[in-house]
Amino acid sequence: MELMENLSEKSNQPFASRYEPKLAEKKWYQYWLEHKFFTPDLSSKKPRYCIVIPPPNITGVLHMGHALNSTLQDIIIRFKKLQGYETLWLPGTDHASIATHNQIEKRLAQQGKTRFDIGREAFLKLAWEWKEKHEQIILDQLKSIGVACDWSRTRFTMDAQLSKAVREAFVRYYEKGLIYKDYYIVNWCPRCHTAISDLEVKYKETPSKLWFIKYPLNADGKSYIVVATTRPETMLGDSAVAVNPLDERYQDLIGKTAILPLVGRELPIIAEDVVDMKFGTGAVKVTPAHDPVDFEIGKKHNLAFIKVIDEDAKITTNAPEKYQGLTTQQAREAVVKDLQNQGLLEKIEDYTHRVGTCVRCETTVEPMVSLQWFLKTQGLAKPAIEKVIDKTIKFYPERWTKVYLDWMANLKDWCISRQLWWGHRIPAFYCDGCQEIIVSREDINECVKCHSKNIRQDEDVLDTWFSSALWPFSTLGWPDETEDLKQFYPTNLLSTDPDIIFLWVARMIMSGLEFMNAVPFYQVYIHSTVLAETGERMSRSKGIGVDPVVLIEKYGADGLRFTLAYLETESQSYRFWEKKVELGRNFANKIWNAARLIAGLNQQNKIENSTTADQSGLIIDNWLLIKYNQTIEVVTNALDRFAFSVAAQHLYTFFWHELCDWYLEICKIRQKNNDLSFQPILNEVFQGCLVLLHPFMPFLTEELWHRFNYLPESIMQAQWPQPIAINYQPSAITNFETMRELIVGIRNVRAEMRIDINKKVPCLINTSNRELLNFLLNPDIQMLIYELAKVSEIKTTQTRPAQSSVIVLKDLEAYVPLTGLIDFNKEYQRIVNEIEDIDQELRRINHLLTDNNFLSKAKPQVIERERERREKLQDKLNRLKLALETLK
RNA sequence: GGGCGAUUAGCUCAGUUGGUCAGAGCGCAUGCCUCACAUGCAUGAGGUCACCUGUUCAAAUCAGGUAUCGCCCACCA
């Protein structure tokens, strides 16, 4: 394709018959940036509207989730700007502590190294290099979608200002006594070598075994208590056996002791009501150091916490020597074998249970006692719950409100420390002199208490989500009192996907209320999850799904955007594949070509003193304007409640099937008849459509806006359309609708009877509705029917002529006489042939359905299908026979 | 175990508060390269809106229940 086009020129370009997204996209994005349309004017009097982007990880490249979410946010921000708000969409990226670690460690692994081989400093250097490189990639990909982000305010969670915010927040929490350090059972990922939060653990159904182990009750080895476990290796760390206090089987054992096999430790048998009598034997081994439930039991009963698994998931020196250093898997095998040899394994049952795995690397996590930093959340949760209950913050779709509230009601303290290097290092300092812990806004070299120089900072960093939780205000300048903060906080909308409601949304609400004393946003939109064609989650590593960057390349950003919005309903998910983008691409092309036609219709200047003295033109125009007004209302209302699909579908239908299919077709005819009175209306509606479409298809609409030299200079400066005041005549509109149905009916007859495309047909109408009759006999209306349905003349009649097809409408019957139009003999023969074909098929089916062999062997559904088919064919046969009668 | 969704044409899905809602796109069939567009135009075939029972003058739309699928949460060793 050769389009010799100068990209820097805005007008006088060839108006090719196909919309070429590539020619528009770069050009207009550049143009918007140059004109600073994405940067708010802080001195304007307009109301403010602000969105902060959910910062993509610097590890990632754009995926469909980003494409969807960015599209939706961009639709809203552009919609609000057109509605007259001073808008800010603030972009940025997240350092993604653990995810980035994984990426860099993967690279190191290729060189046979771990992060511990190169040390903290070198590792951080690599991480910053990674950031420099990958941040730009993802931001550029976002730009290719067309996002109206203010890039002058781009933030990164580890920027100096944001790091200052993190530190401020930590210190304030600490000073309020909300941050503490304690031993707790955490999920430990042996691969990432850090604690991870409950939310970062995914459970997988795994077929396994349930081992029933005999714990001898005394040294003679004669009597036992049998416990069932899915993790026999952890028995090395057992410090009790627990039974339900109501369990009659074990009443006499409570308070006694059992002997731990292989180890020889004496274990108290305790009563504990969390023990389920119905599970296993009703007796459970208690391993406080390696199981969350057992941990609680251990604390309650003051049991020993015996750590037998270390940070690398290997058996520690707390276990008998022969197991030390084994992996958990090896230890399991060894323990089971030894128990078997000693006759202490009662039985093994198959059992499927859920194994916790690291959400990042899929390694099996080990519950493990360790010393971590925690944030007390109860006090923080209370106002965060209230603000949602009192609807200061609203979730869309509304059902997510309950999900949020249920979670918040059962909130546990948040483990905020991670044994990682990339991230915000915990601002706690340990003094080796006086053993004090000093938490400080500034780095310190000397103990404030004892002035010892022997101080060292905590090695850990904060959970990535700690900084994310501050994002809505840290990006606007907090803790400083900035103008941005004053003008744009609270922000208006947060749009995100369902899986980070707890990880992120809840925590932003809590910290927003804590530090800003105001909610971080008023509306939370939770969008659908984009699934692959198979219904599975898209996954690059599994090769399932599509790449939005490729789709933009092939179909254009506008086409992709429109399609995504068109599919975005309140569903929890939708399936998506490449073919679907054709919908948007084709629509973009349709708009483009409609524009070409309109440009042509405009070229001829309006003739003075239009010949349309009657109202026919007005009615058609009225019809269009009514539909247009409805469209404005529906789209505005839909976008206000984030019903993206409703808005997109309505625009699609109005533009394509009403404006193009009918109004433009009629305009062509009017133009031929020197009636150019449609021009101002067409122009106004088309211009309005461009604005309505702009949030969905920014590039195409900007391109056309310039080609039509509309004002103001950019469509981004335009105003959202308002319904046009019209002289509404309901009866005229129904008459017009009847006319449309009549035209469709005549076309239908033509197609059914295979009337030559160039042959005109007469049409006889029969109606008692005088007004309708007058309308249809109006010369201008007749002209439309002549042209659009290829009709030669319209006459009235009271009776149906022989050999004619009939069209039945609400207030009207119309007849199309077929004499002379079709070759009756030929048509007769065609129908006869068709009847013969059907007869033959019917015979086949009848034969089949009387064949006992078939009836006994075929699937019932197949037989049923054949029966249904027979019925349908019979129907068709009858109809054809009737048609044959008409032709006689 | 709890919560939340889904079940509508061959496929993917729309269907705000119950009464022109039985729809769209794709696919299919037929005819058209008609001077905006074949990424197009015209016409058509295809569905007891999962199932049962209620409420109502009226239900795809509301209530109760059943079945299947999906998502989320939860300490069943």
Side-chain angles (χ1 to χ4, degrees):
Chain A
M1 209 212 47
E2 281 192 49
L3 263 179
M4 302 300 289
E5 216 169 345
N6 184 348
L7 290 186
S8 65
E9 259 185 45
K10 285 194 305 204
S11 54
N12 299 326
Q13 294 162 350
F15 218 151
S17 65
R18 221 171 243 195
Y19 171 55
E20 291 294 339
K22 281 199 191 118
L23 300 180
E25 292 176 3
K26 278 231 164 58
K27 174 176 61 177
W28 295 117
Y29 205 82
Q30 199 52 43
Y31 169 84
W32 293 327
L33 289 177
E34 277 165 14
H35 287 74
K36 297 193 172 16
F37 287 143
F38 302 157
T39 303
D41 172 7
L42 297 184
S43 63
S44 94
K45 296 266 192 298
K46 297 173 176 178
R48 301 297 189 259
Y49 193 93
C50 177
I51 300 176
V52 289
I53 204 169
N57 290 349
I58 51 165
T59 51
V61 285
L62 199 77
H63 60 240
M64 283 312 299
H66 292 128
L68 172 63
N69 199 197
S70 307
T71 296
L72 301 181
Q73 291 172 83
D74 199 45
I75 287 171
I76 295 301
I77 210 83
R78 287 176 186 270
F79 169 55
K80 290 294 171 184
K81 186 171 170 64
L82 292 167
Q83 276 192 321
Y85 288 85
E86 196 64 43
T87 56
L88 166 62
W89 184 10
L90 191 148
T93 50
D94 194 299
H95 67 284
S97 175
I98 193 165
T100 305
H101 263 259
N102 286 344
Q103 294 296 332
I104 297 171
E105 284 173 350
K106 231 182 260 174
R107 302 246 162 138
L108 286 175
Q110 285 166 3
Q111 307 162 30
K113 290 182 190 165
T114 71
R115 73 180 204 246
F116 301 102
D117 293 332
I118 65 167
R120 186 164 196 146
E121 206 174 321
F123 184 86
L124 288 179
K125 194 165 163 263
L126 285 179
W128 279 107
E129 283 169 13
W130 174 281
K131 182 257 178 185
E132 288 309 323
K133 188 174 159 199
H134 290 265
E135 179 184 46
Q136 207 44 54
I137 293 174
I138 187 109
L139 293 182
D140 285 343
Q141 287 177 334
L142 281 178
K143 288 176 189 172
S144 74
I145 295 176
V147 293
C149 290
D150 179 6
W151 301 105
S152 71
R153 285 176 166 81
T154 308
R155 299 288 184 262
F156 173 62
T157 45
M158 281 170 68
D159 283 348
Q161 180 67 27
L162 277 76
S163 296
K164 183 173 154 190
V166 165
R167 206 141 169 174
E168 179 71 25
F170 188 96
V171 173
R172 287 204 202 174
Y173 277 140
Y174 188 80
E175 286 170 351
K176 271 184 94 172
L178 296 179
I179 283 180
Y180 62 94
K181 204 176 180 190
D182 198 6
Y183 284 96
Y184 198 76
I185 190 125
V186 294
N187 307 292
W188 183 271
C189 174
R191 217 284 322 156
C192 300
H193 227 266
T194 178
I196 56 179
S197 77
D198 290 346
L199 293 168
E200 290 165 316
V201 178
K202 286 285 163 252
Y203 290 90
K204 283 192 186 152
E205 288 281 336
T206 313
S208 175
K209 308 279 182 202
L210 193 57
W211 285 270
F212 290 75
I213 308 172
K214 298 175 185 172
Y215 282 21
L217 289 169
N218 35 48
D220 67 15
K222 288 253 167 71
S223 46
Y224 307 97
I225 182 165
V226 180
V227 300
T229 180
T230 54
R231 302 193 58 203
E233 70 279 10
T234 63
M235 69 173 288
L236 302 172
D238 281 4
S239 47
V241 171
V243 298
N244 193 291
L246 302 174
D247 196 330
E248 288 173 9
R249 293 170 288 181
Y250 302 117
Q251 284 302 320
D252 52 337
L253 293 180
I254 295 169
K256 304 241 171 75
T257 59
I259 295 160
L260 181 62
L262 310 182
V263 181
R265 190 160 47 234
E266 203 169 342
L267 307 176
I269 298 172
I270 57 176
E272 177 53 60
D273 32 82
V274 300
V275 177
D276 182 352
M277 288 187 273
K278 291 187 290 271
F279 186 89
T281 59
V284 58
K285 60 193 260 330
V286 181
T287 321
H290 295 290
D291 183 278
V293 181
D294 295 2
F295 178 81
E296 294 301 330
I297 297 175
K299 276 214 296 199
K300 199 164 141 192
H301 295 268
N302 241 324
L303 302 172
F305 291 74
I306 305 158
K307 189 170 163 183
V308 291
I309 298 170
D310 71 8
E311 281 70 11
D312 295 318
K314 296 210 170 117
I315 303 301
T316 68
T317 52
N318 291 329
E321 204 179 337
K322 73 171 289 196
Y323 306 109
Q324 291 176 15
L326 297 181
T327 65
T328 49
Q329 187 55 39
Q330 291 165 338
R332 173 176 300 184
E333 285 160 19
V335 163
V336 168
K337 198 172 157 207
D338 291 346
L339 288 170
Q340 229 154 9
N341 289 341
Q342 296 184 26
L344 292 173
L345 199 60
E346 190 183 75
K347 60 174 171 175
I348 305 174
E349 285 180 1
D350 283 332
Y351 187 70
T352 300
H353 74 138
R354 291 178 19 263
V355 174
T357 59
C358 173
V359 80
R360 288 283 157 209
C361 67
E362 303 202 330
T363 307
T364 301
V365 298
E366 296 292 338
M368 188 176 291
V369 168
S370 72
L371 187 56
Q372 301 287 346
W373 290 90
F374 290 87
L375 175 63
K376 280 187 197 165
T377 47
Q378 252 194 355
L380 298 171
K382 206 170 160 261
I385 290 169
E386 279 165 10
K387 289 297 176 191
V388 170
I389 288 179
D390 72 16
K391 294 204 164 31
T392 306
I393 298 175
K394 279 192 191 163
F395 281 83
Y396 296 82
E398 207 198 335
R399 70 182 117 95
W400 293 108
T401 308
K402 187 170 153 41
V403 175
Y404 167 87
L405 290 174
D406 286 352
W407 162 261
M408 291 298 280
N410 301 305
L411 201 55
K412 289 198 284 187
D413 283 356
W414 175 12
C415 175
I416 52 173
S417 49
R418 294 296 125 96
Q419 289 64 54
L420 300 169
W421 294 338
W422 174 242
H424 302 96
R425 195 162 172 178
I426 290 176
F429 299 84
Y430 303 97
C431 173
D432 287 336
C434 62
Q435 307 299 320
E436 278 291 320
I437 296 179
I438 303 126
V439 167
S440 163
R441 286 179 176 80
E442 308 295 333
D443 283 354
I444 53 171
N445 302 313
E446 179 180 302
C447 176
V448 288
K449 290 257 170 65
C450 71
H451 303 287
S452 161
K453 300 268 186 193
N454 276 335
I455 56 169
R456 57 200 161 76
Q457 186 170 3
D458 196 296
E459 293 290 324
D460 293 353
V461 298
L462 287 163
D463 179 9
T464 261
W465 297 103
F466 190 92
S467 58
S468 314
L470 315 174
W471 184 251
F473 45 95
S474 63
T475 52
L476 293 171
W478 188 85
D480 298 336
E481 285 179 29
T482 60
E483 192 58 28
D484 273 6
L485 211 49
K486 218 179 288 171
Q487 295 209 12
F488 296 107
Y489 193 94
T491 70
N492 298 81
L493 172 67
L494 180 89
S495 174
T496 192
D497 48 288
D499 31 281
I500 53 176
I501 292 178
F502 308 139
L503 280 167
W504 192 42
V505 179
R507 287 163 180 175
M508 279 191 285
I509 296 174
M510 287 190 282
S511 47
L513 288 165
E514 172 71 13
F515 297 117
M516 296 296 298
N517 201 25
V519 295
F521 31 72
Y522 296 113
Q523 296 176 311
V524 181
Y525 181 74
I526 305 292
H527 68 243
S528 307
T529 305
V530 184
L531 300 177
E533 186 165 7
T534 54
E536 294 168 276
R537 260 192 133 77
M538 286 192 183
S539 156
R540 221 175 282 269
S541 54
K542 289 184 199 157
I544 303 167
V546 285
D547 181 352
V549 177
V550 173
L551 296 182
I552 290 170
E553 180 77 12
K554 281 176 77 171
Y555 298 88
D558 288 333
L560 176 63
R561 289 169 62 116
F562 190 83
T563 305
L564 288 173
Y566 187 94
L567 296 172
E568 174 68 12
T569 65
E570 290 200 350
S571 289
Q572 67 181 11
S573 61
Y574 61 80
R575 297 182 190 194
F576 183 82
W577 54 90
E578 180 167 337
K579 181 100 170 79
K580 292 199 173 189
V581 191
E582 288 180 8
L583 174 106
R585 180 201 59 182
N586 294 355
F587 186 42
N589 195 238
K590 187 72 184 178
I591 297 166
W592 177 260
N593 276 293
R596 294 199 332 153
L597 173 63
I598 293 167
L601 291 171
N602 276 345
Q603 260 171 11
Q604 211 175 331
N605 282 330
K606 189 173 187 258
I607 295 167
E608 295 192 30
N609 296 332
S610 162
T611 53
T612 45
D614 57 81
Q615 51 159 243
S616 63
L618 280 176
I619 287 166
I620 294 159
D621 297 335
N622 256 358
W623 173 84
L624 180 77
L625 290 174
I626 285 169
K627 297 284 182 183
Y628 172 66
N629 282 351
Q630 278 173 1
T631 303
I632 294 171
E633 275 173 34
V634 169
V635 171
T636 308
N637 178 279
L639 287 182
D640 275 336
R641 59 191 171 93
F642 310 113
F644 296 97
S645 175
V646 172
Q649 287 187 25
H650 203 94
L651 278 167
Y652 183 93
T653 302
F654 172 71
F655 194 91
W656 199 317
H657 297 305
E658 284 164 347
L659 182 64
C660 289
D661 288 354
W662 288 95
Y663 193 76
L664 286 183
E665 291 302 321
I666 289 171
C667 285
K668 285 195 221 165
I669 297 166
R670 286 166 75 177
Q671 186 207 32
K672 259 196 256 174
N673 292 302
N674 285 334
D675 170 12
L676 293 177
S677 60
F678 61 81
Q679 281 180 346
I681 291 137
L682 177 56
N683 257 302
E684 172 140 19
V685 170
F686 179 66
Q687 187 175 3
C689 279
L690 288 184
V691 179
L692 292 171
L693 285 161
H694 180 257
F696 298 86
M697 311 180 114
F699 297 111
L700 168 66
T701 49
E702 183 74 282
E703 172 76 27
L704 292 175
W705 189 268
H706 284 263
R707 282 178 185 265
F708 279 75
N709 288 315
Y710 288 138
L711 291 174
E713 186 189 298
S714 166
I715 195 170
M716 286 198 70
Q717 302 163 304
Q719 286 195 342
W720 193 249
Q722 296 295 319
I724 296 168
I726 45 171
N727 199 1
Y728 181 51
Q729 305 159 279
S731 68
I733 297 305
T734 38
N735 287 343
F736 183 79
E737 293 291 351
T738 305
M739 180 201 80
R740 286 210 305 162
E741 285 170 32
L742 178 63
I743 290 169
V744 171
I746 298 169
R747 285 168 172 173
N748 180 356
V749 169
R750 300 183 57 104
E752 286 278 291
M753 301 315 281
R754 289 167 170 71
I755 294 170
D756 188 289
I757 197 86
N758 294 316
K759 236 174 208 173
K760 298 203 167 193
V761 301
C763 176
L764 303 170
I765 51 179
N766 180 3
T767 177
S768 55
N769 182 335
R770 289 211 79 113
E771 203 192 328
L772 176 62
L773 187 67
N774 286 338
F775 176 79
L776 291 176
L777 293 180
N778 174 306
D780 285 340
I781 296 300
Q782 284 198 39
M783 178 61 66
L784 297 182
I785 300 173
Y786 293 165
E787 294 285 334
L788 294 174
K790 304 256 185 200
V791 166
S792 55
E793 57 174 350
I794 297 174
K795 283 184 188 162
T796 56
T797 182
Q798 306 284 335
T799 53
R800 177 180 172 185
Q803 292 185 328
S804 66
S805 286
V806 59
I807 298 153
V808 182
L809 301 178
K810 200 175 157 219
D811 263 1
L812 173 92
E813 277 196 7
Y815 314 109
V816 179
L818 299 170
T819 321
L821 284 168
I822 57 172
D823 185 331
F824 276 85
N825 289 330
K826 220 167 139 190
E827 186 66 7
Y828 190 87
Q829 197 52 49
R830 187 183 67 79
I831 295 179
V832 168
N833 289 345
E834 207 171 324
I835 288 176
E836 259 174 39
D837 289 349
I838 292 176
D839 259 338
Q840 209 173 351
E841 179 68 3
L842 275 174
R843 274 200 297 277
R844 184 191 69 82
I845 296 176
N846 280 329
H847 179 77
L848 207 58
L849 288 175
T850 49
D851 179 355
N852 284 330
N853 195 29
F854 170 78
L855 289 174
S856 60
K857 287 184 182 164
K859 285 185 191 167
Q861 301 107 296
V862 174
I863 298 174
E864 195 46 42
R865 210 186 306 146
E866 290 296 336
R867 290 221 167 94
E868 278 172 19
R869 197 168 146 68
R870 179 168 65 177
E871 246 170 70
K872 279 174 188 167
L873 286 172
Q874 196 67 55
D875 266 6
K876 193 166 182 189
L877 193 68
N878 293 340
R879 261 185 290 138
L880 285 171
K881 282 181 177 165
L882 219 69
L884 215 54
E885 288 302 310
T886 316
L887 289 174
K888 278 177 184 166

